[in-house]
Amino acid sequence: MIPTSSAPPISGIEQTVTPTFMHELGALPKRTHDRVEKALAVLKRDPTNAERQLDIKKLQQVDAWRIKIDDYRVLYQFDDRVMTFISVLPRKDVYKKLGIPDEDGLTVVPDVTLKPVVPPQPDGLLPHPLTLELLEVWRIRGEDAHALAACRTEDDLLEASVPYPVFSKVVDLLYSKKWQERLAQPSYVLAKPTDLEDLVEGRLTTKLLRLDDHQRHLSALGLEDARAPIVVKGGPGSGKSTVALYRAKLLVERFPDASVAYTTYTNALVEASKEQLAVLLPDDPHAVRVSTVDSLAKQMLETVEPIGTILGATDPLTLQIFEEVAVHKPPQLRKFSARYLLSEFFDVIELTGLDSEDAYLASPRAGRKAPLSAAHRKLIWRLYQNFHATVTAAKAVTWATLRKRTLDAYQQGHLKPSFDYLLIDEAQDLSPITLRMLASIVKTPGGLYITADANQTLYESSFTWDALKEGWPQAQVHVLERNYRNTAEVVRALADIRESLAMEDSEAALTESLANGPKPRVVTTSREREVERLVEEIREASRLHKEPQRNVAILVAGTQHQARDAGIELARALKAHKLKANYMSSSGLRLDADCIKILSLYTSKGLEFPIVILWNVVDGVMPRNVSELPSEEQTEEQLKDRRLFYVGCSRAMRHLAVFTREGEESELLYELQSDHWDFINTHTGKEPA
């Protein structure tokens, strides 16, 4: 749909604005500001300009319209009943700043940086002095204004202690974004007439992110009459979790008396989801019950039976019990390590709910590569029985057994379905038993809404789409294909990793976004220089992307324990270089913290950051040394590490760097292509492509 004066009136128009448009609008003279707001109100009522109240013109070589208001030009796009307002700048330099053809279509303005008022200096002076008078015009006042007025250089600005929305506004007004960058920005819906002014003034904390048409369709699909589960799958950055969160919002608004739960696998994702739901549902942020899968199962089961101590595969008590029963391990099992046998107990027998020797003998052992003979399986089953009996005697239970017992309690009628609607995010990390348990918690199959990407499986490797379909044969499966997170360069770099992984789900492949940036890089350095080089990388990336250091995430390779120890040590080292940095566990994650976030790769799953640096990607850590396992199992374990590497790299929105050490380079890095990655060695410099 395009606005032409001869077209009939259109109803149901949605207006959205980009962050940069909001910032530019807030910096206009009051008379012009008021006229722009009035023009948007007129377009809302008369989108085709049939009444000819506005001076509107279609740009010839860019898919956009311009509105003439005094000496300013408002540029917007209008497509399928949605108007997106992208820029409002002075006529004299609007097209030069945006790097697009002028409105007469005569001259293509080169995509160059606008000459600043203050010429670039070696010490990186800001292009405009941030005076208190200028900041007042930009509607920045109080302590924030005084903190910014003290900034003289880009580094001062990047380290200024101001809220990120204020920082973002200043960067937008100092360094105008090009047209393509603006198109890649998210846009926010103007739901009420007052929303525009509230957004500009910072009064509107609830920013409704606009979903694309397909995402919006999937978020509302079957809202009134769903009879079967709905499954949404897609690659990283496709918006699966955002669609699920909007689904939760719609359910609460449409059915205020319904019980709605939202569950995912890790504490970090739970905390991130709570933060986002608080924005989507400001009047009742607790209307949706948000918890991990295991927490939900525990809360349900302990209402009908005692649970006792809950054990994970690597807990000290688990290892102690295994050592006790392994004393009597038959000679035929001596070639199998403790880690391998515990993995067989937890990841095969318990995860898939095998309850007899015959069931174990018949099991395909999903996710395991090395075959086991019937004789070996019988001996492992007997060892497992001893292990299970000892766990029970210690008044303990494993997490997998707890989920199975919760499922049994529902199937036997001891527990009744608790929720009208259940949204399951990141379902690829759940076993078939766990998915069946969750299905029992919801009152009807139509109350289930599931998102997943089999290519990002990290935890419970028995997940398959076939198993999901067996559990819910009537499920409606839909695919999200567009990537909204990463730059095109990051997507191309990720393709190298996907190729080495033989990904399970080709439908969840990434498509390139509109955003562009530098090629991801592999940085090889010495142990002595690695922290110093990391500090340089952080500062360089922060300057390049005009992002404060709080938007940097360092993802540490290794097991959870290795990553924690290395992350805490790294935080100390960065603080010694006067950088604010903190290691954050999954349960202690604070995305709004004013510091560099140091996380384990596992904790980063489901999150995104403008600048991502993978740390300690060295031989023996990623991939791990698993030489004690059978050769086939070594392949499977290293495949898990490749998946983890893929997940970590895909967290990067704009900047990605992978750090390794000279002489200890990870074999994962040999599979990356110089067409898509820059390779930098601190001793030899950048290697030629």
Side-chain angles (χ1 to χ4, degrees):
M1 182 64 64
I2 56 176
T4 57
S5 58
S6 60
I10 306 171
S11 60
I13 293 299
E14 181 176 82
Q15 290 185 328
T16 70
V17 294
T18 64
T20 299
F21 176 85
M22 292 189 305
H23 297 154
E24 291 171 345
L25 179 63
L28 294 178
K30 186 177 187 312
R31 179 178 182 276
T32 306
H33 177 281
D34 292 345
R35 291 197 65 191
V36 171
E37 286 200 348
K38 182 179 178 181
L40 267 63
V42 169
L43 278 176
K44 178 76 171 177
R45 177 178 53 80
D46 179 22
T48 65
N49 198 30
E51 299 173 7
R52 297 181 179 273
Q53 293 190 51
L54 301 173
D55 184 346
I56 296 179
K57 184 174 184 178
K58 177 75 171 70
L59 299 184
Q60 296 301 309
Q61 298 184 40
V62 176
D63 181 20
W65 298 79
R66 75 102 176 97
I67 310 173
K68 179 181 178 182
I69 298 177
D70 299 334
D71 293 328
Y72 287 80
R73 299 294 183 267
V74 175
L75 270 62
Y76 69 100
Q77 290 187 326
F78 188 21
D79 182 49
D80 196 23
R81 298 180 181 272
V82 177
M83 288 180 182
T84 301
F85 294 90
I86 296 166
S87 73
V88 50
L89 291 166
R91 167 66 181 94
K92 63 185 177 62
D93 54 20
V94 54
Y95 301 105
K96 186 184 295 183
K97 280 191 173 185
L98 296 177
I100 61 175
D102 68 17
E103 62 187 66
D104 296 319
L106 300 177
T107 307
V108 176
V109 180
D111 190 3
V112 295
T113 304
L114 181 68
K115 184 178 180 181
V117 173
V118 179
Q121 300 293 327
D123 53 359
L125 288 174
L126 295 173
H128 300 279
L130 292 176
T131 64
L132 290 174
E133 293 76 16
L134 177 62
L135 293 167
E136 174 65 29
V137 172
W138 289 356
R139 307 190 189 199
I140 300 172
R141 306 173 180 102
E143 293 181 1
D144 294 340
H146 285 281
L148 290 165
C151 297
R152 296 290 178 267
T153 67
E154 289 186 357
D155 283 350
D156 291 341
L157 177 59
L158 291 168
E159 296 175 11
S161 193
V162 296
Y164 183 67
V166 174
F167 170 88
S168 179
K169 174 192 284 191
V170 171
V171 168
D172 267 349
L173 296 176
L174 282 177
Y175 309 94
S176 186
K177 285 183 170 62
K178 297 299 184 185
W179 182 253
Q180 204 67 13
E181 290 180 272
R182 294 170 186 248
L183 294 183
Q185 286 186 308
S187 58
Y188 300 108
V189 177
L190 302 179
K192 304 188 299 296
T194 58
D195 278 359
L196 183 58
E197 183 62 17
D198 288 344
L199 277 169
V200 169
E201 286 287 357
R203 292 191 295 263
L204 190 63
T205 56
T206 307
K207 295 179 182 178
L208 296 182
L209 185 66
R210 180 181 177 265
L211 304 180
D212 69 25
D213 292 339
H214 190 44
Q215 289 173 325
R216 192 181 333 190
H217 168 71
L218 294 183
S219 69
L221 187 65
L223 198 67
E224 303 278 354
D225 56 358
R227 300 180 182 275
I230 294 173
V231 178
V232 177
K233 61 180 183 176
S238 60
K240 300 183 301 297
S241 297
T242 301
V243 169
L245 289 165
Y246 265 82
R247 175 76 167 196
K249 167 186 164 61
L250 292 174
L251 288 170
V252 170
E253 292 173 345
R254 179 64 183 85
F255 308 107
D257 297 327
S259 55
V260 182
Y262 186 102
T263 188
T264 187
Y265 199 76
T266 69
N267 287 313
L269 287 176
V270 164
E271 293 307 312
S273 301
K274 285 180 179 178
E275 288 183 17
Q276 293 173 74
L277 282 170
V279 172
L280 290 172
L281 296 166
D283 296 330
D284 193 2
H286 303 296
V288 179
R289 181 171 176 175
V290 185
S291 65
T292 64
V293 172
D294 285 335
S295 176
L296 191 60
K298 178 177 179 291
Q299 291 163 15
M300 298 295 108
L301 187 62
E302 64 187 2
T303 63
V304 294
E305 63 178 75
I307 294 175
T309 304
I310 306 174
L311 301 180
T314 59
D315 289 347
L317 182 55
T318 303
L319 301 177
Q320 178 185 327
I321 290 173
F322 180 81
E323 288 176 2
E324 291 176 14
V325 301
V327 170
H328 306 291
K329 182 170 67 174
Q332 297 93 320
L333 297 183
R334 284 177 185 165
K335 72 172 185 174
F336 298 113
S337 68
R339 183 165 74 177
Y340 175 79
L341 290 171
L342 277 171
S343 178
E344 191 73 10
F345 291 175
F346 278 80
D347 298 341
V348 177
I349 295 174
E350 297 212 336
L351 205 60
T352 54
L354 303 178
D355 54 8
S356 69
E357 181 182 282
D358 288 341
Y360 181 45
L361 289 172
S363 170
R365 299 172 66 246
R368 309 288 275 183
K369 298 297 183 184
L372 280 176
S373 67
H376 279 141
R377 291 199 196 198
K378 288 179 180 180
L379 292 172
I380 290 174
W381 179 258
R382 290 169 196 164
L383 190 65
Y384 167 72
Q385 285 185 308
N386 292 337
F387 173 81
H388 180 71
T390 308
V391 168
T392 303
K395 296 183 178 180
V397 63
T398 65
W399 281 110
T401 299
L402 181 145
R403 295 177 217 138
K404 179 65 167 60
R405 280 166 52 179
T406 305
L407 172 61
D408 292 341
Y410 276 104
Q411 291 179 333
Q412 294 164 12
H414 302 309
L415 285 170
K416 303 297 182 185
S418 311
F419 298 103
D420 296 299
Y421 301 98
L422 177 63
L423 300 101
I424 307 171
D425 191 27
E426 304 287 354
Q428 72 275 359
D429 284 323
L430 305 177
S431 69
I433 286 287
T434 307
L435 290 169
R436 285 168 54 200
M437 181 270 293
L438 290 172
S440 301
I441 292 176
V442 69
K443 295 176 183 177
T444 65
L448 278 169
Y449 194 90
I450 304 125
T451 73
D453 175 7
N455 296 334
Q456 295 190 72
T457 297
L458 290 185
Y459 298 100
E460 301 188 354
S461 57
S462 60
F463 175 88
T464 64
W465 286 114
D466 289 340
L468 188 64
K469 292 172 185 174
E470 287 174 11
W472 301 309
Q474 304 304 316
Q476 302 177 35
V477 180
H478 304 268
V479 181
L480 290 169
E481 297 177 345
R482 184 175 176 184
N483 176 273
Y484 287 91
R485 175 188 298 152
N486 322 95
T487 63
E489 288 76 11
V490 171
V491 171
R492 291 174 204 138
L494 290 173
D496 292 353
I497 310 172
R498 288 180 58 88
E499 190 174 327
S500 70
L501 273 171
M503 290 296 201
E504 298 178 17
D505 190 4
S506 60
E507 287 185 325
L510 293 168
T511 57
E512 292 186 11
S513 71
L514 293 174
N516 291 102
K519 284 200 294 187
R521 54 178 57 177
V522 174
V523 180
T524 304
T525 185
S526 64
R527 187 180 292 274
E528 294 75 23
R529 271 216 67 207
E530 61 181 354
V531 173
E532 180 184 344
R533 182 61 186 83
L534 174 63
V535 171
E536 293 172 2
E537 184 72 24
I538 291 169
R539 288 178 170 152
E540 178 187 339
S542 189
R543 291 188 195 107
L544 175 65
H545 300 287
K546 304 294 187 295
E547 290 284 356
Q549 291 174 6
R550 62 181 291 166
N551 285 351
V552 176
I554 302 173
L555 311 182
V556 185
T559 65
Q560 292 281 29
H561 295 301
Q562 287 175 325
R564 180 197 62 205
D565 294 344
I568 292 172
E569 180 183 349
L570 181 59
R572 290 196 195 103
L574 291 178
K575 287 173 182 174
H577 284 77
K578 304 189 183 309
L579 297 183
K580 290 188 288 186
N582 282 305
Y583 175 77
M584 297 183 182
S585 65
S586 179
S587 57
L589 180 65
R590 280 190 54 221
L591 295 177
D592 61 345
D594 185 19
C595 65
I596 297 166
K597 283 86 176 165
I598 304 176
L599 320 169
S600 76
L601 274 169
Y602 288 96
T603 300
S604 73
K605 183 170 174 55
L607 306 177
E608 61 184 25
F609 304 93
I611 299 167
V612 168
I613 299 170
L614 269 65
W615 182 254
N616 206 27
V617 182
V618 297
D619 186 45
V621 176
M622 171 158 281
R624 293 161 292 152
N625 181 359
V626 289
S627 57
E628 82 278 11
L629 299 180
S631 59
E632 297 87 346
E633 291 301 333
Q634 292 179 30
T635 301
E636 174 59 27
E637 290 302 308
Q638 290 181 346
L639 182 60
K640 290 179 183 178
D641 286 344
R642 279 179 163 80
R643 285 199 192 102
L644 183 58
F645 182 57
Y646 172 76
V647 168
C649 289
S650 66
R651 302 306 95 195
M653 300 167 67
R654 303 174 66 189
H655 188 98
L656 172 61
V658 178
F659 270 65
T660 189
R661 284 193 290 275
E662 196 167 29
E664 302 178 58
E665 294 91 342
S666 167
E667 66 182 62
L668 300 181
L669 306 179
Y670 300 147
E671 297 160 352
L672 308 180
Q673 300 177 34
S674 58
D675 287 348
H676 303 145
W677 294 78
D678 281 336
F679 293 88
I680 299 171
N681 189 298
T682 55
H683 295 297
T684 63
K686 183 175 176 180
E687 296 181 2

